[in-house]
Amino acid sequence: MFYIKPQGGLGNRLRVIASAYKLCREINETATIVWDVNSALKCDYRKLFVLNTKIITIKNRTINTFNKYLYAAYDKFAYKEFGKTNNAIDVKYKMLTTCYNFYDAHDYYFLSPAVSVKNRVTELLKKYDGKRVVGVQIRRNDNKQSILVSPTCLFTNKIDEELRKVPNSVFYLATDDITTRKELIGKYGDRIIHNPTNQVRRDSEEGMFDAAVDLFALSKCQKIYGSYYSSFCEVASDIGGCELVVVK
């Protein structure tokens, strides 16, 4: 048994869990995921997704209730060595704290959306059955790399290209910026599918529920145009097995 504490938002945490799952299967081990409910992701994991495996378990923890493990690794630890040696810095607790895909894992078949998330995704996409749905994930907020390298104009260029190729295409938009959402709806009208209740904030349960809806909706798309330096689109692509094009 070892412990892994994912850091960051939903995309970062899910790729850490996928790494833990792959590692456990290969070395015949088990792991406990320490799930911090904090300002970066303020929601019980069970409201977002379910695990279909007994190899790993998840325990909800607030930031102050698991302190004896927190010093063990952080990102100063060479996390690529964790899978090779099965030892973190602190051998007694075998704890790794990271936001990275530390074991090159891309399979998520052991994980599925929570029922309420699944139902919401179905509701949003059901009237587009038979149409080509392309995902558009535009990361803004505090992600300076995404803002700099993946400006909105490059996404609109990609949308225009898709419409020239397949004129009846529609686009599922996932963004953490209300202004960007309004801009694309204003330009493309009802070709833009979006979650109208999306609060774009991630420091509330409602906001994280909306983030999970966006993630699993993107995974249902035929292709995803995603932001540079964003794990969210990478995980959505891995879950759905769909093509990801990082816009830059």
PDB file of all heavy atoms in Angstrom, residues 1-2 23 27 29-30 81-88 91 94:
ATOM      1  N   MET A   1       0.837  -1.194   0.000  1.00  0.00           N
ATOM      2  CA  MET A   1       0.000   0.000   0.000  1.00  0.00           C
ATOM      3  C   MET A   1       0.875   1.247   0.000  1.00  0.00           C
ATOM      4  O   MET A   1       1.844   1.336   0.738  1.00  0.00           O
ATOM      5  CB  MET A   1      -0.907   0.000   1.231  1.00  0.00           C
ATOM      6  CG  MET A   1      -1.555   1.340   1.563  1.00  0.00           C
ATOM      7  SD  MET A   1      -2.834   1.840   0.407  1.00  0.00           S
ATOM      8  CE  MET A   1      -4.174   0.766   0.951  1.00  0.00           C
ATOM      9  N   PHE A   2       0.545   2.200  -0.860  1.00  0.00           N
ATOM     10  CA  PHE A   2       1.169   3.505  -0.769  1.00  0.00           C
ATOM     11  C   PHE A   2       0.095   4.567  -0.962  1.00  0.00           C
ATOM     12  O   PHE A   2      -1.042   4.279  -1.328  1.00  0.00           O
ATOM     13  CB  PHE A   2       2.331   3.677  -1.760  1.00  0.00           C
ATOM     14  CG  PHE A   2       2.014   3.356  -3.176  1.00  0.00           C
ATOM     15  CD1 PHE A   2       1.439   4.296  -4.006  1.00  0.00           C
ATOM     16  CD2 PHE A   2       2.314   2.102  -3.700  1.00  0.00           C
ATOM     17  CE1 PHE A   2       1.163   4.010  -5.323  1.00  0.00           C
ATOM     18  CE2 PHE A   2       2.031   1.809  -5.021  1.00  0.00           C
ATOM     19  CZ  PHE A   2       1.452   2.761  -5.831  1.00  0.00           C
ATOM     20  N   LEU A  23       0.252   1.958 -12.408  1.00  0.00           N
ATOM     21  CA  LEU A  23       1.359   1.477 -11.590  1.00  0.00           C
ATOM     22  C   LEU A  23       0.929   0.309 -10.713  1.00  0.00           C
ATOM     23  O   LEU A  23       1.624  -0.718 -10.627  1.00  0.00           O
ATOM     24  CB  LEU A  23       1.898   2.613 -10.726  1.00  0.00           C
ATOM     25  CG  LEU A  23       2.965   2.243  -9.692  1.00  0.00           C
ATOM     26  CD1 LEU A  23       4.193   1.661 -10.364  1.00  0.00           C
ATOM     27  CD2 LEU A  23       3.346   3.462  -8.856  1.00  0.00           C
ATOM     28  N   ILE A  27       2.645  -3.553 -10.733  1.00  0.00           N
ATOM     29  CA  ILE A  27       3.483  -4.060  -9.639  1.00  0.00           C
ATOM     30  C   ILE A  27       2.666  -4.799  -8.586  1.00  0.00           C
ATOM     31  O   ILE A  27       3.179  -5.151  -7.525  1.00  0.00           O
ATOM     32  CB  ILE A  27       4.285  -2.924  -8.973  1.00  0.00           C
ATOM     33  CG1 ILE A  27       3.357  -1.935  -8.263  1.00  0.00           C
ATOM     34  CG2 ILE A  27       5.162  -2.215  -9.999  1.00  0.00           C
ATOM     35  CD1 ILE A  27       4.104  -0.864  -7.491  1.00  0.00           C
ATOM     36  N   GLU A  29       0.192  -3.879  -6.583  1.00  0.00           N
ATOM     37  CA  GLU A  29       0.102  -3.120  -5.340  1.00  0.00           C
ATOM     38  C   GLU A  29      -1.281  -2.486  -5.241  1.00  0.00           C
ATOM     39  O   GLU A  29      -2.105  -2.588  -6.150  1.00  0.00           O
ATOM     40  CB  GLU A  29       1.163  -2.020  -5.314  1.00  0.00           C
ATOM     41  CG  GLU A  29       2.361  -2.320  -4.426  1.00  0.00           C
ATOM     42  CD  GLU A  29       2.077  -2.187  -2.945  1.00  0.00           C
ATOM     43  OE1 GLU A  29       0.891  -2.052  -2.578  1.00  0.00           O
ATOM     44  OE2 GLU A  29       3.024  -2.220  -2.160  1.00  0.00           O
ATOM     45  N   THR A  30      -1.546  -1.845  -4.111  1.00  0.00           N
ATOM     46  CA  THR A  30      -2.755  -1.046  -3.947  1.00  0.00           C
ATOM     47  C   THR A  30      -2.351   0.365  -3.519  1.00  0.00           C
ATOM     48  O   THR A  30      -1.249   0.581  -3.017  1.00  0.00           O
ATOM     49  CB  THR A  30      -3.688  -1.648  -2.879  1.00  0.00           C
ATOM     50  OG1 THR A  30      -2.991  -1.728  -1.627  1.00  0.00           O
ATOM     51  CG2 THR A  30      -4.182  -3.016  -3.297  1.00  0.00           C
ATOM     52  N   GLU A  81      10.831   8.384 -11.001  1.00  0.00           N
ATOM     53  CA  GLU A  81      11.490   7.272 -10.320  1.00  0.00           C
ATOM     54  C   GLU A  81      10.542   6.531  -9.382  1.00  0.00           C
ATOM     55  O   GLU A  81      10.833   5.437  -8.942  1.00  0.00           O
ATOM     56  CB  GLU A  81      12.697   7.777  -9.520  1.00  0.00           C
ATOM     57  CG  GLU A  81      13.794   8.383 -10.378  1.00  0.00           C
ATOM     58  CD  GLU A  81      14.349   7.379 -11.376  1.00  0.00           C
ATOM     59  OE1 GLU A  81      14.610   6.232 -10.963  1.00  0.00           O
ATOM     60  OE2 GLU A  81      14.494   7.726 -12.553  1.00  0.00           O
ATOM     61  N   PHE A  82       9.409   7.140  -9.073  1.00  0.00           N
ATOM     62  CA  PHE A  82       8.477   6.535  -8.127  1.00  0.00           C
ATOM     63  C   PHE A  82       7.999   5.176  -8.622  1.00  0.00           C
ATOM     64  O   PHE A  82       7.993   4.190  -7.897  1.00  0.00           O
ATOM     65  CB  PHE A  82       7.281   7.473  -7.911  1.00  0.00           C
ATOM     66  CG  PHE A  82       6.328   7.012  -6.847  1.00  0.00           C
ATOM     67  CD1 PHE A  82       6.654   7.152  -5.518  1.00  0.00           C
ATOM     68  CD2 PHE A  82       5.107   6.458  -7.180  1.00  0.00           C
ATOM     69  CE1 PHE A  82       5.783   6.740  -4.527  1.00  0.00           C
ATOM     70  CE2 PHE A  82       4.223   6.050  -6.198  1.00  0.00           C
ATOM     71  CZ  PHE A  82       4.565   6.195  -4.869  1.00  0.00           C
ATOM     72  N   GLY A  83       7.616   5.105  -9.875  1.00  0.00           N
ATOM     73  CA  GLY A  83       7.133   3.846 -10.428  1.00  0.00           C
ATOM     74  C   GLY A  83       8.228   2.812 -10.578  1.00  0.00           C
ATOM     75  O   GLY A  83       7.978   1.618 -10.477  1.00  0.00           O
ATOM     76  N   LYS A  84       9.464   3.264 -10.809  1.00  0.00           N
ATOM     77  CA  LYS A  84      10.558   2.328 -11.021  1.00  0.00           C
ATOM     78  C   LYS A  84      11.007   1.680  -9.717  1.00  0.00           C
ATOM     79  O   LYS A  84      11.387   0.525  -9.674  1.00  0.00           O
ATOM     80  CB  LYS A  84      11.746   3.041 -11.667  1.00  0.00           C
ATOM     81  CG  LYS A  84      11.441   3.586 -13.064  1.00  0.00           C
ATOM     82  CD  LYS A  84      12.639   4.357 -13.610  1.00  0.00           C
ATOM     83  CE  LYS A  84      12.321   4.968 -14.959  1.00  0.00           C
ATOM     84  NZ  LYS A  84      13.455   5.780 -15.472  1.00  0.00           N
ATOM     85  N   THR A  85      10.977   2.443  -8.639  1.00  0.00           N
ATOM     86  CA  THR A  85      11.508   1.950  -7.371  1.00  0.00           C
ATOM     87  C   THR A  85      10.433   1.557  -6.376  1.00  0.00           C
ATOM     88  O   THR A  85      10.710   0.880  -5.401  1.00  0.00           O
ATOM     89  CB  THR A  85      12.383   3.027  -6.710  1.00  0.00           C
ATOM     90  OG1 THR A  85      11.553   4.148  -6.387  1.00  0.00           O
ATOM     91  CG2 THR A  85      13.489   3.483  -7.641  1.00  0.00           C
ATOM     92  N   ASN A  86       9.184   2.002  -6.623  1.00  0.00           N
ATOM     93  CA  ASN A  86       8.100   1.805  -5.675  1.00  0.00           C
ATOM     94  C   ASN A  86       8.432   2.406  -4.317  1.00  0.00           C
ATOM     95  O   ASN A  86       8.026   1.906  -3.289  1.00  0.00           O
ATOM     96  CB  ASN A  86       7.744   0.316  -5.530  1.00  0.00           C
ATOM     97  CG  ASN A  86       6.420   0.123  -4.792  1.00  0.00           C
ATOM     98  OD1 ASN A  86       5.583   1.023  -4.761  1.00  0.00           O
ATOM     99  ND2 ASN A  86       6.237  -1.033  -4.198  1.00  0.00           N
ATOM    100  N   ASN A  87       9.216   3.449  -4.311  1.00  0.00           N
ATOM    101  CA  ASN A  87       9.550   4.142  -3.072  1.00  0.00           C
ATOM    102  C   ASN A  87       9.485   5.643  -3.267  1.00  0.00           C
ATOM    103  O   ASN A  87      10.074   6.167  -4.206  1.00  0.00           O
ATOM    104  CB  ASN A  87      10.967   3.790  -2.605  1.00  0.00           C
ATOM    105  CG  ASN A  87      11.044   2.377  -2.073  1.00  0.00           C
ATOM    106  OD1 ASN A  87      10.363   2.038  -1.119  1.00  0.00           O
ATOM    107  ND2 ASN A  87      11.851   1.555  -2.707  1.00  0.00           N
ATOM    108  N   ALA A  88       8.765   6.305  -2.400  1.00  0.00           N
ATOM    109  CA  ALA A  88       8.806   7.756  -2.379  1.00  0.00           C
ATOM    110  C   ALA A  88       9.931   8.194  -1.455  1.00  0.00           C
ATOM    111  O   ALA A  88      10.681   7.372  -0.939  1.00  0.00           O
ATOM    112  CB  ALA A  88       7.468   8.312  -1.913  1.00  0.00           C
ATOM    113  N   VAL A  91       9.965   6.423   2.947  1.00  0.00           N
ATOM    114  CA  VAL A  91       9.707   5.001   2.729  1.00  0.00           C
ATOM    115  C   VAL A  91       8.635   4.478   3.678  1.00  0.00           C
ATOM    116  O   VAL A  91       7.829   3.630   3.323  1.00  0.00           O
ATOM    117  CB  VAL A  91      11.012   4.189   2.892  1.00  0.00           C
ATOM    118  CG1 VAL A  91      10.739   2.710   2.717  1.00  0.00           C
ATOM    119  CG2 VAL A  91      12.051   4.678   1.893  1.00  0.00           C
ATOM    120  N   LYS A  94       5.416   5.932   2.135  1.00  0.00           N
ATOM    121  CA  LYS A  94       5.332   5.777   0.689  1.00  0.00           C
ATOM    122  C   LYS A  94       4.281   6.723   0.106  1.00  0.00           C
ATOM    123  O   LYS A  94       3.262   6.314  -0.439  1.00  0.00           O
ATOM    124  CB  LYS A  94       5.047   4.331   0.317  1.00  0.00           C
ATOM    125  CG  LYS A  94       6.201   3.404   0.592  1.00  0.00           C
ATOM    126  CD  LYS A  94       6.067   2.076  -0.105  1.00  0.00           C
ATOM    127  CE  LYS A  94       4.953   1.244   0.473  1.00  0.00           C
ATOM    128  NZ  LYS A  94       4.934  -0.117  -0.093  1.00  0.00           N
TER     129      LYS A  94
END
